[in-house]
Amino acid sequence: MPSTATLHVLHQAPGRDLVAAEEAAAAFLEALGIDLDSESLRQTPRRMAHGYAELFTPRAFDLTTFPNDEDYDELVLVRNVPLRSVCEHHLLPFAGTVHIGYLPGERIIGLSKLARVAEHFACRPQVQERLTKQIAGWLDEHLHPRGVGVVIEAEHSCMTLRGVQSVGSATVTSALSGALRDDPRSRQEFFALAGVHA
């Protein structure tokens, strides 16, 4: 029988008020001198409110794990999982990919759940460094593997669309634990299979 641990929605906004969010969006746009009277902009505050509500609402899911009956002890890696979040400093999006690997202990995880964990923590205002550690820490806590590795490569629109306007730049962050942190060969294998130069 598979074991499941329900992933509770963290930071779920109690009392979310989309009407107030729409009014605030309208006031924000008007304060920046944007005329909302045209047909194409009239519904923009509503779209903004609903759009951000969607960005900040992760889907709940059960973390399904199974006994490691074969005593599989090599690296399991899911790479190039699409990832998007919102920079908490400017509320502008950042997007890229996440590579998630682990060295199994007594249990293995349904592979799609690795992507779901990443999505869960990305659905809120974030910084990439924290997001990387949250994914790794949650898997450590709930799966008890011999090691976890997470690498995120992302382009931040707060860098590319404003300020320095560094188009094409990518930010890379990593979080490693257990053997993937402490054993040089395991660490090297993880980065090589993830396609990241360490």
Side-chain angles (χ1 to χ4, degrees), residues 99-174:
H99 317 289
I100 306 171
Y102 74 101
L103 289 167
E106 294 182 4
R107 302 191 71 78
I108 57 175
I109 187 173
L111 295 177
S112 67
K113 303 307 190 240
L114 295 173
R116 287 294 191 96
V117 171
E119 177 194 84
H120 171 78
F121 285 106
C123 282
R124 65 197 65 166
Q126 271 289 12
V127 295
Q128 185 173 324
E129 298 88 341
R130 181 193 311 123
L131 175 58
T132 310
K133 287 193 70 171
Q134 285 176 331
I135 296 167
W138 200 91
L139 289 169
D140 249 341
E141 180 183 346
H142 290 83
L143 193 56
H144 307 293
R146 292 181 297 113
V148 170
V150 176
V151 173
I152 296 177
E153 301 175 82
E155 183 174 299
H156 291 248
S157 57
C158 59
M159 279 186 63
T160 60
L161 299 180
R162 56 159 301 281
V164 69
Q165 297 185 15
S166 182
V167 177
S169 64
T171 300
V172 180
T173 51
S174 67

Side-chain angles (χ1 to χ4, degrees), residues 66-74 104-106 108:
F66 305 90
N68 186 6
D69 293 331
E70 303 300 320
D71 293 323
Y72 184 81
D73 62 357
E74 298 293 333
E106 294 182 4
I108 57 175

